[in-house]
Amino acid sequence: MRQIILDTETTGIDPRDGHRLIEIGAVEMVNRRLTGNSYHQFINPERDIEAEAVGIHGITNERVADEPVFAEVADAFWSFIEGAELVIHNAPFDVGFIDHEFGLLNARRGEPRLGPVAEHCRILDTLKMARDLHPGQRNNLDALCKRYDIENGHRVLHGALLDAEILADVYLAMTGGQTALSLDASAASEGASSEQQGLSIRRLSLTPGQLRVVRPGEDELAAHHAKLGRIREAAGECRWDAHAGLVGEEGSR
């Protein structure tokens, strides 16, 4: 399953008041493993950023003045998220802003129309998930990092890509941890490094009867019997005997 862990920063609280996106950050996860693919873009919102918002994310009007407007990055962003499950903390906020941007763009250019997000992507709200798991407790990203022992000391101000990366760790912790092994090497992303892919199990195609069996030599059997004898002497019994069902007859195996 392809998931995109996503976060945004904005000029203010409500797109209905004319507020716009100024940053999008997203990381890709396939079968619960980060692939190393990400999307990160600052955006010129074509309006001023509220002082309260700057205090949260630290992004100023000057910082985004020379960045592209949303219309210039919309198609690349849509290609990155379309068809995936979007994992977002407080999803209605971010999805509301993204759909607002797509709505403005569609009204200006007609076709092709992009969005709405919920018609093309599944949406998983980790804030709702956290509230179900931890009712009555604080469930913002900082609180969840503390609860699940996730390092976020480098998070002084909000930032879309950094918050998406942290949310990926939080989501994995909330849902049982990251999968260490892939049962099919083809599930790993093509071109990913061994560090990104982690461990994988290779399936071998073998014709029956072609599997080579290597049997122990006399010296190996003698060492094996001696080891079992020492275990019996020390413990009074040996689990191998119960497993084999032939006490004292290992040499015939």
Side-chain angles (χ1 to χ4, degrees), residues 34-57:
L34 292 168
T35 66
N37 294 330
S38 63
Y39 178 91
H40 183 225
Q41 181 64 61
F42 286 102
I43 299 166
N44 181 338
E46 304 177 273
R47 59 152 293 158
D48 286 340
I49 304 170
E50 288 192 344
E52 293 83 354
V54 175
I56 294 172
H57 49 59

Side-chain angles (χ1 to χ4, degrees), residues 122-195:
R122 293 177 59 187
I123 300 171
L124 190 156
D125 186 353
T126 51
L127 178 57
K128 181 181 183 303
M129 179 187 297
R131 286 171 173 168
D132 291 340
L133 290 171
H134 311 290
Q137 301 182 52
R138 295 179 65 236
N139 288 300
N140 60 34
L141 202 53
D142 287 335
L144 290 172
C145 285
K146 183 176 181 180
R147 187 170 301 142
Y148 289 102
D149 196 25
I150 293 169
E151 174 59 42
N152 71 332
H154 50 307
R155 183 179 187 257
V156 178
L157 293 171
H158 288 250
L161 184 59
L162 174 60
D163 283 2
E165 292 170 346
I166 292 173
L167 180 58
D169 290 337
V170 168
Y171 167 73
L172 288 170
M174 289 173 63
T175 55
Q178 187 165 10
T179 301
L181 294 177
S182 167
L183 295 181
D184 188 343
S186 64
S189 299
E190 293 184 7
S193 67
S194 59
E195 290 79 7

Side-chain angles (χ1 to χ4, degrees), residues 1-8 21 24-29 37-41 70 73-88 94-99 101-102 114-123 164:
M1 178 173 63
R2 182 172 183 263
Q3 295 173 298
I4 301 297
I5 296 81
L6 183 147
D7 187 60
T8 66
L21 290 176
I24 302 171
V27 294
E28 181 186 58
M29 185 182 295
N37 294 330
S38 63
Y39 178 91
H40 183 225
Q41 181 64 61
F70 184 80
V73 303
D75 292 293
F77 172 57
W78 183 247
S79 295
F80 189 75
I81 67 170
E82 186 180 13
E85 179 179 67
L86 305 185
V87 179
I88 308 173
D94 299 87
V95 172
F97 267 94
I98 294 168
D99 278 343
E101 294 288 353
F102 283 143
L114 304 180
V117 170
E119 293 183 8
H120 300 267
C121 304
R122 293 177 59 187
I123 300 171

Side-chain angles (χ1 to χ4, degrees), residues 11-15 17-21 47-48 50 97 100-101:
T11 63
I13 296 297
D14 196 332
D17 293 332
H19 288 293
R20 306 286 301 274
L21 290 176
R47 59 152 293 158
D48 286 340
E50 288 192 344
F97 267 94
H100 178 68
E101 294 288 353

